[in-house]
Structures are given as structure tokens and as C-alpha cells.
Amino acid sequence: MDERPRAVHIVADCHGPCCVLSNDAVAMLDEAGLAAQQLAAGYPEWKASGLQVDLPRH
């Protein structure tokens, strides 16, 4: 998390109706001082609306 630019807003997404990992990710990012929110709709809807997509590199 130290490598993420502070100006970047992060959107966390989790697949499945019972998945809570994105909630945990947002909490950790907030604690680290990074701007983050949980994705309200699905990834396909986000991408289809023309919003920016930068996938993590592993």
C-alpha cells in the first residue's frame, strides 16, 4: 500500500453475494490513508459506463 499514489481513488470489487473481502479491503485502505470505496454495482456495469479501469498487476 505504500507504493500507491495518494491521489488515486481505489474501488474494491468482490464476486458473489456472500463475499465480504471488498469490505475488508476498503477498511484496510482507509486505515492506510488511501481513498477507497466498495463497488456498488458489478464490474461489467462499471466498465460499460465508460469509467476508468486499471487492473492490478501481479
Side-chain angles (χ1 to χ4, degrees), residues 19-39:
C19 185
V20 296
L21 296 177
S22 61
N23 294 333
D24 295 343
V26 169
M28 289 173 53
L29 292 162
D30 284 341
E31 285 180 27
L34 296 167
Q37 72 183 61
Q38 186 176 11
L39 182 62

